[in-house]
Amino acid sequence: MSFLSIQNLHKSYGATPIFSDIDCEIGQGEFVTLLGPSGCGKSTLLRCIAGLTGVNGGRILLGGQDLVPLAPQKRGIGMVFQSYALFPNMTVQQNVAFGLRMQQVGKAESAQRVGEALAMVELGDFAARYPHQLSGGQCQRVALARSLVTRPRLLLLDEPLSALDARIRKHLREQIRAIQQELGLTTIFVTHDQEEALVLSDRIFLMNAGKIVQSGNAETLYTAPVDAFAAGFIGNYNLLDAEAASRLLGRPIGGRIAIRPESIRLGGQGGIEAQIRSHSLLGNVIRYRVEARGVELLVDVLNRSAADMHASGQRIVLNIEANAIREVA
Ligand SMILES: Nc1ncnc2c1ncn2[C@@H]1O[C@H](COP(=O)(O)OP(=O)(O)OP(=O)(O)O)[C@@H](O)[C@H]1O
Ligand SMILES: [Mg+2]
């Protein structure tokens, strides 16, 4: 049975529909990521669940109870916003305790729970500081502690890591995942970073223009995109129309196909004749742009040694495994 059930949710701003029939089911303790391009409606969906904006129709059931008629503070939901606004005139301790004060939790219990929440985000020594005395990453951790301390039934995280550098981002996302698993917290995490979605999630909901276009685990989304949008958004698929695909593969292909760049092998015996157009170094991977039979393709190769590098203009053969070719709508 699902813990959070969203049924036929409809939301417009004035005459502009943002989404019209969102349906999804999320299990207790599940970590779900909403992934999609800017403007597709991710934040709006979270704000509807949290009750920060009204809905125009549909139901949001949490543990069987419809949230739609409830005020935000009655919903038992913790939220970290895309722009994590801390109260500047309050210390870290006071910021985190704020939600408990609203719930009229007693002083002693509040102090204990704030201490636990700060320890969880490794900020125990920072309780007396003010937000302007913290780094961006520390502020985001305070925002996280502030949402955890009220022991929400559901945690909504709207790009909580977007302002951080790559190293802290990686560290903090691991912390979030660990805390979420330790507390068994049902969580919806919004990002437009596909890598983040792939590493963190039990399940990913891929959104585009107000619709959930595909949902599944990381492997499903990565290896079996349902359509050209999904293939374009996750991984760096080569998308070919039927004509180009037929020319490249030398046999009739009926529709559009997608080929992942790392599933094309360069060199070896036999295969399709091709020429290197250019390459770029992505750290551990070299991404080649090659041309074969008038079709341009991206090919990713693990960067093992400088001796493996192919120069622009070099002629080469490439091989594409049959099971790496996916038809997409
Ligand atoms: N208060 C509002 N009034 C009118 N339109 C709005 C309002 N808030 C958001 N929108 C519009 O709703 C659409 C969805 O916005 P939303 O903030 O949900 O996108 P998002 O997927 O979170 O994007 P991003 O990744 O950039 O944060 C956008 O086209 C946006 O312009
Ligand atoms: Mg947003």
Side-chain angles (χ1 to χ4, degrees):
M1 224 205 67
S2 68
F3 181 57
L4 176 68
S5 169
I6 297 178
Q7 302 169 355
N8 266 309
L9 201 67
H10 180 98
K11 171 70 184 171
S12 306
Y13 282 118
T16 314
I18 306 300
F19 39 79
S20 53
D21 45 12
I22 294 278
D23 280 291
C24 66
E25 307 283 328
I26 296 174
Q28 178 123 43
E30 211 178 354
F31 191 110
V32 166
T33 297
L34 287 183
L35 177 68
S38 184
C40 73
K42 305 180 297 293
S43 295
T44 304
L45 181 55
L46 287 200
R47 294 174 66 81
C48 289
I49 298 170
L52 301 171
T53 185
V55 300
N56 302 88
R59 306 209 299 166
I60 304 169
L61 302 176
L62 186 63
Q65 177 190 29
D66 192 1
L67 296 181
V68 171
L70 295 184
Q73 64 275 19
K74 296 262 155 67
R75 295 188 181 197
I77 292 176
M79 181 156 176
V80 176
F81 296 93
Q82 201 162 356
S83 57
Y84 49 92
L86 300 178
F87 303 114
N89 54 336
M90 292 187 194
T91 64
V92 166
Q93 148 84 31
Q94 289 162 339
N95 262 284
V96 176
F98 183 79
L100 297 177
R101 230 171 71 207
M102 292 298 104
Q103 292 179 352
Q104 295 173 339
V105 172
K107 271 216 167 93
E109 187 186 341
S110 171
Q112 190 202 338
R113 278 165 64 176
V114 170
E116 284 167 8
L118 286 178
M120 235 175 243
V121 297
E122 297 173 19
L123 282 180
D125 296 337
F126 291 74
R129 294 225 196 157
Y130 285 89
H132 73 270
Q133 298 168 317
L134 301 175
S135 73
Q138 290 163 343
C139 287
Q140 289 197 301
R141 283 188 274 163
V142 176
L144 185 63
R146 195 171 60 173
S147 65
L148 290 173
V149 78
T150 56
R151 298 185 188 148
R153 293 191 286 167
L154 177 67
L155 182 62
L156 306 176
L157 303 172
D158 194 355
E159 305 202 37
L161 310 177
S162 55
L164 305 177
D165 77 48
R167 194 184 57 82
I168 301 181
R169 199 178 165 114
K170 221 172 136 205
H171 173 69
L172 204 48
R173 82 182 179 205
E174 283 161 9
Q175 252 179 339
I176 289 176
R177 182 60 160 149
I179 292 170
Q180 179 268 335
Q181 285 180 325
E182 189 183 318
L183 303 180
L185 256 178
T186 311
T187 303
I188 307 179
F189 181 92
V190 167
T191 181
H192 49 236
D193 180 327
Q194 55 144 318
E195 185 196 310
E196 210 157 87
L198 292 171
V199 235
L200 278 175
S201 323
D202 292 319
R203 220 145 42 103
I204 299 170
F205 290 177
L206 182 62
M207 277 184 82
N208 187 28
K211 287 205 159 34
I212 296 175
V213 294
Q214 186 171 10
S215 70
N217 63 16
E219 190 184 339
T220 306
L221 262 89
Y222 194 73
T223 58
V226 282
D227 61 11
F229 167 79
F233 204 80
I234 301 206
N236 288 282
Y237 276 89
N238 291 292
L239 285 171
L240 306 181
D241 61 26
E243 187 272 324
S246 307
R247 196 148 32 90
L248 178 71
L249 300 172
R251 59 186 164 85
I253 303 286
R256 185 137 61 152
I257 61 162
I259 308 171
R260 263 187 287 135
E262 70 273 22
S263 64
I264 302 175
R265 202 156 47 83
L266 290 185
Q269 297 291 309
I272 303 166
E273 286 189 17
Q275 190 171 23
I276 305 286
R277 285 273 170 253
S278 63
H279 69 266
S280 40
L281 189 60
L282 311 177
N284 58 342
V285 164
I286 308 168
R287 175 160 298 166
Y288 291 100
R289 192 170 285 282
V290 305
E291 193 190 316
R293 299 176 176 165
V295 178
E296 219 180 75
L297 294 169
L298 292 180
V299 180
D300 284 353
V301 177
L302 206 53
N303 181 13
R304 290 206 176 81
S305 89
D308 293 341
M309 194 85 93
H310 301 293
S312 298
Q314 190 179 335
R315 297 202 169 272
I316 199 162
V317 292
L318 51 86
N319 283 282
I320 305 172
E321 280 176 40
N323 62 10
I325 300 167
R326 293 206 60 87
E327 290 192 22
V328 289

